Every structure is written in C-alpha cells, then in structure tokens.
Amino acid sequence: MQSTPNYAYVRGQVLPLEQATLHISDLSIQRGYGVFDYFRVYNGKPVFLDDYLARLRASAQALHLPVLLSDDELKEVVQELIHKNAMPASGMKMILTGGYSANGFDPAEPSLVILQQPLNLPGPDMLERGIKVITHDYVREVPRAKTINYTMGIRLIEEIRRRGASDVLYQRDGVVSEFPRCNLFIVTHEDTVITPAENVLLGVTRKNVLALAGKRYKAKEGTVTLEDVYQAREVFLTSTTKRILPIVQVDEQAIGSGKPGEVTLSLLKDLIKLEEETSLVHKV
Amino acid sequence: MQSTPNYAYVRGQVLPLEQATLHISDLSIQRGYGVFDYFRVYNGKPVFLDDYLARLRASAQALHLPVLLSDDELKEVVQELIHKNAMPASGMKMILTGGYSANGFDPAEPSLVILQQPLNLPGPDMLERGIKVITHDYVREVPRAKTINYTMGIRLIEEIRRRGASDVLYQRDGVVSEFPRCNLFIVTHEDTVITPAENVLLGVTRKNVLALAGKRYKAKEGTVTLEDVYQAREVFLTSTTKRILPIVQVDEQAIGSGKPGEVTLSLLKDLIKLEEETSLVHKV
C-alpha cells in the first residue's frame, strides 16, 4: 500500500510518474482545451465507474473530442494502474485534451492521460462543524461538460481564504447553480430536498444523493435562488471526493441553526452505505 | 533561416523542441490555469515587445501568478530563441501556468514556457475579398486577462466552418465585444471609427490602430451593438497575427458595399508602415 502513485498513463503508455509529460504543443497547455473525469477507488475497486465513463464521453462529445479507447480498454488501464500503484483508497483522473496541435489552436488527435492521486476525504471536524461558503457571479461556459477550465475557481482561492470560507457557490441574477467542483443541495423547512436543475454539472454523487433523498423525503431538481439558500433549514454540497459536506454559513448569513442538520447527516450515512455495498459487489 | 523552430524555453532552460514538455501535474493540463502573450518577430526583432510584456504582467496579476523573470531577463530569453531558431519572421508565445501542483488544484511555482512559431499573415485573397464572421452569446470570464482558456473559441471551430465563416464575434444581450483572438472595429457612415470598450482584451494592435485612426478620422472606444455592426459602413478586426482584416459579412448580413472598405485598407497601410518603422528603430 502506498500513499503516492508511481505510474500514470499518457498517450497510450503506462509510464513512471516522473516521465509522465505532455509536449508544450498540447492544446491543454496552449489553450486550456480539454475535458476530464474523476472517480474514487475504494478497497482497490473503482466506484460507480460506468457513470463516470459515460460522463467523460458526454463531456468529450460536447467539445468534439473522440475518447479514443472503448470502455473496456479504459477499464483495463484503470486496473493496470490500480495494480501497479497499490493505492487501494485513492482517486483516479482521466484527462482528454485537444492533443499536440500543429498551429496551437486547431485540435489534433487527443491526448489521453490517466493518473491516480491520494484522496483526502473531509475529516470529522468539517462534518461536525460544517463549512462556510461565499458566492460569486458566474456560470460555467459549457455547464454539462466537465472541462478542465477552472480559471474562475482557482482565481477565487485567495478571496475564499481571505473571507474565511471553504468554497465558492456560483450564482447569476440571484439563481444559484454549483460550486467549482461540487453540487449544491438545500433542505427546505417543509423537508423537501432540492438541487439546482440548470447550469450544473450532472454529478454522480448528486444523482446518488437525489435518489437516496427520494426514499426518505420529497426530492427534486429545480430552480434555487440565493434567497432560497439563505432561508433554507439545511444546505449541503456533494462531490466525489467530499461525499456530503454540511454548509452552515453562506456569505454572512448563517443557515438554519448554524450547525450541520439531521437530513444532511442521515443522507451522508446512506451514501457511505451505498458506496460500501457498491464496492463489495462491483466488478470491472 | 528556418520555417520551424528547434528550441523552446521551459521552466528555466532552453531545450530542443522535442524535449519541451510539462509534467502532467502542471495546472494548465490539470485545470487549464494560465495566461500567455504573443508577439511578432519581424526582421529578426520583436515588435512592440514592451507592450506585450506589460500585458503579460497584467494578465498574470489578474490570475495571481508571479511572472518569475524581469523584463530584461525575458528579453534575454527572447533574444536567445531568436538567435538559435533563426526564424526572422515568426511569432513568439510566452505561457505562464499555475505550475506543478501537488494536489492538482492549488497553484505552485508557475511554469514559464516561451516558444517560437511560424507566422502566417493573411494572404492577398482575404484582404481583397474580406471575410464572413458569425456571432455567439459569450463574454470571456476575465476579459482584461489573456488567459489560456479558449474552450468556447475552439469548440465553435466546427460551427464557424459549417457556416462558411472565418471567425466568431462574441456578443451578449446585443452588445458585441471581441473575437476569441482579435478585436473588433466598426466605421460608421459618419466616418467615426469605434472599437468596443468593455469586456475585451486590450489588444496591442487595437491600441495602435486606434491611435492611427485618430490621426485621420474621429476614433473612440465605446459601446457597439450588434445592430451597429450590421448597419456599419465598414467592419474589420485587428490582431497581432492578422493585423487588420476586412469583414464583409456578419451572420447573414452583408456589411456596407459587401467589399473591403477604404478606411479599413488605408489603416492597414498605416499599420504596416508603423510596424516597419518600429522594427527598424527597435532595440531590445
């Protein structure tokens, strides 16, 4: 078992990590052009991999990039990296760029890169206390595609820290959408669980949480305003690496009791159970 | 004299081009995070280099990236590449990325890459006939910064070609701004030359053309609507690689006489003269 990977897949080859490079003509470096996806490895097995592969293909299609490998071929690479890197609890990222462009603008044969990363799930502190988030006026350019473009999210890291927050929620004209890397949920005072329907990435954790919430409460996709967020009884975010994280403050407004709520924490329990069941029965 | 470069500068070293790579942990590959600038080399000399260096610094500041080298140090690298690559008429690109990120999200010490590229100025055909452009609803995220993010521009290449156009003009709510890589100018029926003031990159060619136009006509920055463009007597674009290019059709609307206009062509003559004077007297 290791804490860092030794190998990565780059343009058809599994290479020692220090040799895992792309030429500077690659369209990710020249023009930030590419898509990616990211899934977790749990007990040495990929979790919900088919969902992530389907989303990678949808993102690639939105940017007119062929994925190059079949799902079976991608799964073989994933297995090889899991075997060689010996990181049974980790994340794995698949990046597909516009390739080595002759003129630095027109896409070429794509570059496919697959790398494994250490995974840090939120600690008990964050779950017990919840987090503060700020808001920012922004909508991603191609919301349904998981592009590599995080210009806005990374540019805002300094402001997030300065304001004592952990993340930034995008809104436009008072309608909220998503975080740079997470989806948003609110729980109303009528126990309805709502996640924004438009201008969001269709998160795999979002989908699973929506289904789990539907078993216990009313749950739906819909329009969520900033005012809905401020007035919600509970607010939380979902993502592959964070699972479910309670949000107790948005901008300068405390949410509900100012503490992580019951609905949030019960859904987190359900989600962890689902992940464990899936990784026990999962076959690649 | 060569038609392609043999050397590029990557993270402190001038390397043979085939060895010019970035590790896959670079934040350009992971998150499309970086800025760049691009200037022309003419008669073996950089043209308007101080303007481009100042803009690179402004872009870098907007994304909280230190440039690492002083202007004098940057000019030394530029001179070394001009000498080694022996491409007296070419383009040179300086890319500054978020660096080799430990966690694939937080910026590290930036990667600075400087590469030379063959330059293709527009042929006489394009100047004689002018070009068609289409329009698209979009505003760049950080308009004053020249980020590497061209997700929208490259994604639209297919649509531009399908509609028989050469480029795409961004507009939002009927107010136009810029092209992915060029600035816009219109000439009104009152002989006033106007370029959009807001949501644009402050092009060096834009600045020079605005000054040249001011010597012959009324010239200003201002709000330009899509309707202003459709009704203009002349429309043209400016950029470092294209200088001035006449636009004779926007979407399905012919502009003015449907042919390149007199103001456009006279400004192009002025610009070429300015470039020649500058490269004759220029010292690095």
Side-chain angles (χ1 to χ4, degrees):
Chain A
M1 281 206 240
Q2 301 183 171
S3 60
T4 54
N6 288 327
Y7 295 91
Y9 172 93
V10 182
R11 293 172 60 92
Q13 289 181 292
V14 173
L15 298 169
L17 189 63
E18 64 273 17
Q19 295 170 29
T21 61
L22 289 179
H23 192 260
I24 57 169
S25 63
D26 194 84
L27 221 46
S28 58
I29 299 165
Q30 295 277 331
R31 304 286 176 177
Y33 199 74
V35 297
F36 76 108
D37 224 299
Y38 178 95
F39 57 90
R40 279 176 51 206
V41 174
Y42 190 74
N43 291 332
K45 290 170 189 160
V47 187
F48 308 123
L49 181 55
D50 287 326
D51 286 330
Y52 291 100
L53 291 179
R55 191 171 63 181
L56 177 68
R57 287 186 190 280
S59 298
Q61 191 171 26
L63 264 68
H64 314 301
L65 295 172
V67 177
L68 303 174
L69 298 192
S70 69
D71 280 8
D72 282 348
E73 289 168 329
L74 287 167
K75 287 176 182 178
E76 272 178 39
V77 176
V78 165
Q79 282 308 326
E80 185 176 349
L81 288 177
I82 288 175
H83 177 70
K84 284 197 159 177
N85 285 328
M87 295 170 71
S90 56
M92 202 173 291
K93 193 185 253 194
M94 307 172 284
I95 306 175
L96 187 73
T97 80
Y100 291 0
S101 172
N103 64 3
F105 196 75
D106 288 296
E109 166 110 342
S111 298
L112 176 63
V113 173
I114 306 180
L115 64 150
Q116 211 164 352
Q117 297 178 317
L119 176 71
N120 294 310
L121 291 166
D125 255 34
M126 271 188 152
L127 289 173
E128 278 163 30
R129 288 196 307 226
I131 62 166
K132 171 186 175 178
V133 303
I134 60 172
T135 60
H136 191 81
D137 178 0
Y138 183 58
V139 169
R140 283 192 306 117
E141 302 158 310
V142 191
R144 285 293 192 261
K146 197 167 174 72
T147 72
I148 60 169
N149 173 34
Y150 285 70
T151 303
M152 189 57 74
I154 292 176
R155 186 171 178 256
L156 291 172
I157 289 175
E158 288 196 7
E159 184 181 343
I160 292 167
R161 287 190 186 144
R162 194 173 60 241
R163 294 177 59 187
S166 300
D167 212 334
V168 56
L169 174 62
Y170 295 141
Q171 63 87 17
R172 174 145 293 170
D173 299 327
V175 176
V176 301
S177 53
E178 61 184 2
F179 301 86
R181 298 180 286 178
C182 308
N183 288 113
L184 173 83
F185 282 79
I186 66 169
V187 184
T188 69
H189 288 272
E190 293 76 39
D191 262 353
T192 301
V193 177
I194 312 176
T195 189
E198 298 297 328
N199 291 329
V200 300
L201 186 77
L202 297 176
V204 174
T205 309
R206 172 184 181 272
K207 184 184 84 168
N208 288 332
V209 168
L210 205 53
L212 292 169
K215 293 183 183 173
R216 290 173 177 265
Y217 316 98
K218 272 189 281 183
K220 63 175 186 181
E221 300 170 275
T223 301
V224 179
T225 67
L226 201 46
E227 200 52 36
D228 292 335
V229 173
Y230 291 149
Q231 301 303 328
R233 206 177 60 202
E234 299 180 26
V235 176
F236 62 88
L237 59 75
T238 63
S239 86
T240 300
T241 56
K242 300 198 171 70
R243 287 179 175 137
I244 289 176
L245 206 51
I247 294 167
V248 295
Q249 187 177 340
V250 178
D251 294 324
E252 302 318 311
Q253 174 78 42
I255 302 300
S257 64
K259 291 179 187 170
E262 277 176 34
V263 174
T264 302
L265 296 176
S266 73
L267 286 172
L268 175 57
K269 275 186 200 158
D270 292 350
L271 179 64
I272 292 173
K273 201 172 152 214
L274 176 68
E275 283 176 8
E276 283 169 353
E277 287 167 3
T278 305
S279 69
L280 287 174
V281 301
H282 195 76
K283 290 186 188 64
V284 173
Chain B
M1 282 207 241
Q2 300 183 170
S3 60
T4 53
N6 287 327
Y7 294 91
Y9 173 93
V10 182
R11 293 172 60 92
Q13 289 182 292
V14 173
L15 298 169
L17 189 63
E18 65 273 17
Q19 295 170 29
T21 61
L22 289 179
H23 192 260
I24 58 169
S25 64
D26 194 83
L27 221 46
S28 58
I29 299 165
Q30 295 276 332
R31 303 288 177 177
Y33 199 74
V35 297
F36 76 108
D37 224 300
Y38 178 96
F39 57 90
R40 279 176 50 205
V41 174
Y42 189 74
N43 291 333
K45 290 170 189 160
V47 187
F48 308 124
L49 181 55
D50 287 326
D51 286 330
Y52 291 100
L53 291 179
R55 191 171 63 182
L56 178 67
R57 287 186 191 280
S59 298
Q61 191 171 26
L63 264 67
H64 314 302
L65 295 172
V67 177
L68 303 175
L69 298 193
S70 68
D71 279 8
D72 282 349
E73 289 168 330
L74 286 167
K75 286 177 183 178
E76 271 177 40
V77 176
V78 166
Q79 282 307 326
E80 185 176 348
L81 289 177
I82 287 175
H83 176 71
K84 284 198 158 175
N85 285 328
M87 295 170 72
S90 56
M92 202 173 291
K93 192 184 252 194
M94 307 172 285
I95 306 174
L96 187 73
T97 80
Y100 291 0
S101 173
N103 63 3
F105 195 75
D106 287 297
E109 164 111 342
S111 299
L112 176 63
V113 173
I114 306 181
L115 65 149
Q116 211 164 352
Q117 296 179 319
L119 176 70
N120 294 310
L121 290 166
D125 255 34
M126 271 186 152
L127 290 173
E128 279 165 28
R129 288 197 307 225
I131 61 165
K132 171 185 175 178
V133 303
I134 60 172
T135 59
H136 191 81
D137 178 1
Y138 183 58
V139 169
R140 284 192 305 117
E141 301 158 312
V142 191
R144 285 292 192 261
K146 197 167 173 73
T147 73
I148 61 169
N149 173 33
Y150 284 71
T151 303
M152 189 57 74
I154 292 176
R155 186 171 178 256
L156 290 172
I157 289 175
E158 287 196 8
E159 184 181 343
I160 292 167
R161 288 190 185 143
R162 194 172 61 240
R163 294 177 59 187
S166 300
D167 211 334
V168 56
L169 174 62
Y170 295 141
Q171 64 87 18
R172 175 146 292 170
D173 299 328
V175 176
V176 301
S177 53
E178 61 184 2
F179 301 87
R181 297 181 288 178
C182 308
N183 287 113
L184 173 84
F185 282 78
I186 66 169
V187 184
T188 70
H189 287 272
E190 293 77 37
D191 261 352
T192 302
V193 177
I194 312 176
T195 189
E198 297 298 329
N199 290 329
V200 300
L201 186 76
L202 298 176
V204 174
T205 310
R206 172 184 181 273
K207 184 184 83 168
N208 288 331
V209 168
L210 205 53
L212 292 169
K215 294 183 182 172
R216 291 174 178 264
Y217 317 97
K218 273 189 282 184
K220 63 175 187 181
E221 301 171 273
T223 300
V224 178
T225 67
L226 201 46
E227 199 53 34
D228 293 334
V229 173
Y230 290 149
Q231 301 303 328
R233 205 178 60 202
E234 298 180 28
V235 175
F236 62 89
L237 58 76
T238 64
S239 86
T240 300
T241 56
K242 299 198 171 71
R243 289 180 173 138
I244 289 176
L245 205 50
I247 293 167
V248 296
Q249 187 178 341
V250 178
D251 295 324
E252 301 319 310
Q253 174 79 43
I255 302 301
S257 65
K259 291 180 186 169
E262 276 176 35
V263 175
T264 303
L265 297 177
S266 73
L267 287 172
L268 176 57
K269 276 186 200 160
D270 292 351
L271 180 63
I272 292 174
K273 200 172 152 215
L274 176 68
E275 282 177 8
E276 283 169 354
E277 287 165 3
T278 306
S279 70
L280 288 174
V281 302
H282 194 76
K283 291 184 188 67
V284 174

